[in-house]
Each structure stands twice: as structure tokens, then as C-alpha cells.
Amino acid sequence: AHLEELQRQALHDELTGLPNRALLYDRIEHCIEGLDRHDKEYGLLLLDLDRFKEVNDTFGHYVGDVLLTKVAERLRQAVRGQDTIARLGGDEFAVLIEPQARPEEATALAKRLVDSLNAPFKVEGQSLIVNVSIGIVQCPRHGRDPDTLMRRADIAMYAAKERHAGFTVYDPSLDVNSPARIQMVSELSHNIDDEHLRLHYQPQVDLASGEVRKVEALLRWQHDDGRLLMPDEFLPLAETTNLIDAITLWVLRRAMKDCSKWLEAGHRIGVSVNMAPRSLHDAHLPRRIARLLVAAHVPPEMLTLEITESSLLRHSLLADGVFSELRQLGIGLSIDDFGTGYSSLTHLKHLPFTELKIDRSFTRDIASSSGDAAIVRSSIELAHAFGRSVVAEGVEDQSALDVLLDYHCDAAQGFHYSKALPEEEFLAWLASRQG
């Protein structure tokens, strides 16, 4: 009995009781050995919890451990009895589907897991949200040995994380060393110009006056093959190379040029630009932006830089003096996707930000969800208490807008007003609104 217990401990995770990496690999190899005996595929899902480090840093490791056991329990409830759930270490889990009756089973399970794990966890009186990113591979389609399958599942998982997609099926184009990705990097490096890159603008409407005070600049890539690529199709790749710095400067220069034209035409409309964490580690960034503003004759207060909340701690941005220099110039700083991380309350009063953008996941159902409404209302009151303005993203209907007006939100953007438009279409939309 003692030997059996030692063997069990060697093959299982102590905290959750789930199989560990060694046992998972053993079962993957067992599945591979049986490939020749039947014509079915096996699915392997690799799961990584988003922002779990923030939970540990904010609430302590005990709460983190309790959260992991609750995650394990939800995984058990979502899969079939014959499937293997494993904890690989830290906040990383895996699910082996053996065998699949249909290839779509893996993606269907991934969707169930995303929905299940995205629901709040109650731990020690705290309501914790830890979204999940999942990479999916199929055996033998994506590999016939555990190491290859795990490596490719890891690539797909990071692609899902970068795209905020929930889950992603492995594709060779995702591999940083694949010919497709190398080709895309080469093409992008030659396309950072006005001919290939575009800015679309989504208006932010001031809720007190009804006027458009600012727009968010959203990047598009007009590929030579005719496709108009969205940011999540190429920016994650650019952020792994030096290309992101050149792209950031192009976006800032283009946005300032357009803003200058609007000012000359009598439209005092500012511009918000999303910033990659890597760019904010550049000590020369404030001086470069200052030169762009002077060259375009745009007042600093007309520019706002948006930084996602989750990137603040993950990339150690708080320790840098870049934010302080940008604020000294008069540039606005916005925390994007506010409410999706755990750094908010702890650091809000210390951050030199001028604006909070409430994530669309809270505003989408604000009229029907009392929980979302409470979060939004509290966020607005908190921001106002610290002298920050608030922009609500993802406003899609009048009922959501009515709630935001009742809560004294400062501004809103979303399809209720307009989607992101090319500059010419935005100016036409603005004229029709003013007319």
C-alpha cells in the first residue's frame, strides 16, 4: 500500500489531485501506440489562466492555491470520464480527449471550458475572474509524439492569448519559425507606409454634450493580395520583433497628421492611440512624441495613449518614468480594458492616468445584468473620486446608453454610434451628425 501511494504521488499533482505531466505524457504515448488500430484522432488542449499572477500578487498564494483547486473541479465537471485532465504546473493545465468521435469535439470542449472558467470564482469572500487561453492540437494531424504535440499546443495557446480569442487551433502559420510567419514578417517590414497601413477611427461621444470630443485610432493593413487585415492578425507577430517600434511611430505620425487637418477644419477632436507595452519601455518615446506634436501643430492634450490594464504589471511598466514624462508633456493616459485585471484598486491612486476605459465585457449586458451594472457604476464612482474621466466601450444599444447616462459616465463608444471608419467616412459621418 505504501508503494502504491508513492507511485500515485509520483504521477499526480499534490494540490489538485489531477494527473501530472508524467502521467499525461504516458497516456499520450498510449494513444499514439493505438493510432494504427483504429481510424480516429485524439485531441489535446493546453490551458493557461490569464492574469493568475495578479491573483497571487494581490490576494496571496493561499487564495491562488484555492482558486487552482476550484479550476480543477470545473475542468472535471466539463469533460468526459474517459478524458484525462492534468495539471502541468503553476496555472497550466491540459486535457487529453481519447479518442474523438468527431474532429469538432476538441473545439466544442474548448468553448465549454472557456465559458465555464470565465465565470467568477468565489474564494475567501472574493469574486475572482481569471479568463483562460487554450491551444488545441490533433493527433496525428499535428504530431505523433508528446513533445511535438505539447510544443504546438503551446504555440496555439499563446496565439489565443495574444488575440484574446479564448482558444486557437494550431496552424503552421502560428509557428514563429514557420515559413508562413517568416514571410509575413518580411512583407510587413516592407509595408510600413501610407500605401499599405490605414487608420480607422471610432468616435467617442461626450455624454453630457453629445459632441464627439475624441476618436480611437485603429490600425489596418492593406495587404498586397487585397485583404484588409485586422490588428490581431499581424500585431502579435510584430510585437515579437522590432517592427512594432516602426509601426507605433507610423501610427502616431499618421494620427497627428489627421488630427492637425481636423483642427484646421474647425473640428477640435482628439485622438487615442493604443500602445504596445514594449514601446513604453523606450526612454526616448516622450521626446519622439513631443517632436511629432510640434511638427503637426497639435496641442499635447489632443493625444491620449491607451495601455491595457493587464499589461501594467505583467510588463513592469509601473517602474518606468516614461508615464510621468508623458504626463508632464500634457498627453492623456488611459487604462484600457479597465476591470479585467486585479491591479485596479491597489494602484489606481498612484498611477498618472487621466482616463479609464471600461471593458466591453461589462457594458455589453449592463441593462440586463445587475452584476455588470454594479461593476460599471462602482468603477465610474471610483474613477471620479480620483479625478479621472471614464469612457465606456462596446455600447451597442440605447438601453445600455441610458444606464451609463444615469451613472454619469463621461463618454461612450461602440456600434450604437458607429463602427471604426476610414478617415473620409468618419468625416462624412461627423458632418451628417452635425447637420
Side-chain angles (χ1 to χ4, degrees), residues 113-187:
L113 294 177
V114 168
D115 292 341
S116 174
L117 296 180
N118 281 0
F121 290 85
K122 293 291 185 182
V123 181
E124 297 295 305
Q126 303 287 342
S127 181
L128 305 180
I129 299 175
V130 282
N131 305 122
V132 65
S133 297
I134 303 176
I136 304 171
V137 292
Q138 305 279 7
C139 176
R141 189 189 317 174
H142 298 134
R144 296 180 68 100
D145 66 89
D147 288 334
T148 298
L149 290 168
M150 290 295 292
R151 183 180 68 81
R152 291 178 172 173
D154 190 64
I155 290 170
M157 182 270 291
Y158 274 103
K161 191 179 292 288
E162 290 170 349
R163 298 170 176 178
H164 305 286
F167 61 88
T168 298
V169 179
Y170 173 78
D171 184 274
S173 64
L174 298 174
D175 197 326
V176 70
N177 297 314
S178 73
R181 284 174 68 93
I182 293 172
Q183 180 180 353
M184 179 171 275
V185 169
S186 176
E187 291 172 347

Side-chain angles (χ1 to χ4, degrees), residues 288-303:
R288 287 174 177 155
I289 292 179
R291 287 196 293 268
L292 290 175
L293 290 167
V294 170
H297 304 289
V298 172
E301 64 269 19
M302 302 296 288
L303 174 64

Side-chain angles (χ1 to χ4, degrees), residues 238-386:
E239 290 177 6
T240 65
T241 71
N242 292 328
L243 293 181
I244 192 61
D245 298 325
I247 291 173
T248 298
L249 287 177
W250 183 91
V251 170
L252 288 166
R253 188 179 294 109
R254 180 77 245 181
M256 291 302 91
K257 183 177 179 180
D258 289 343
C259 185
S260 179
K261 287 191 300 181
W262 303 339
L263 285 170
E264 291 179 5
H267 303 304
R268 190 172 178 79
I269 299 174
V271 182
S272 279
V273 174
N274 295 283
M275 298 295 292
R278 171 172 171 162
S279 298
L280 292 163
H281 283 294
D282 182 2
H284 302 292
L285 181 67
R287 290 190 292 277
R288 287 174 177 155
I289 292 179
R291 287 196 293 268
L292 290 175
L293 290 167
V294 170
H297 304 289
V298 172
E301 64 269 19
M302 302 296 288
L303 174 64
T304 301
L305 304 181
E306 296 188 14
I307 304 96
T308 60
E309 181 186 12
S310 59
S311 70
L312 290 174
L313 292 180
R314 188 184 307 160
H315 296 275
S316 303
L317 296 176
L318 299 178
D320 290 357
V322 173
F323 286 165
S324 297
E325 290 188 51
L326 291 169
R327 280 301 298 132
Q328 289 170 8
L329 289 173
I331 295 168
L333 295 174
S334 177
I335 302 181
D336 196 11
D337 300 339
F338 183 77
T340 59
Y342 297 103
S343 61
S344 313
L345 301 181
T346 306
H347 299 280
L348 181 58
K349 66 179 181 180
H350 302 298
L351 300 178
F353 288 90
T354 56
E355 175 186 277
L356 304 180
K357 295 190 75 176
I358 299 178
D359 186 68
R360 68 185 67 248
S361 63
F362 299 110
T363 60
R364 182 178 56 239
D365 301 318
I366 189 175
S368 58
S369 169
S370 59
D372 287 344
I375 291 172
V376 171
R377 184 171 191 166
S378 299
S379 298
I380 292 171
E381 292 175 351
L382 180 67
H384 287 170
F386 285 108

Side-chain angles (χ1 to χ4, degrees), residues 67-83:
L67 176 61
L68 290 173
T69 62
K70 289 180 176 290
V71 167
E73 184 56 35
R74 285 197 190 174
L75 292 177
R76 289 189 183 97
Q77 295 172 359
V79 305
R80 305 172 305 177
Q82 67 266 36
D83 298 331

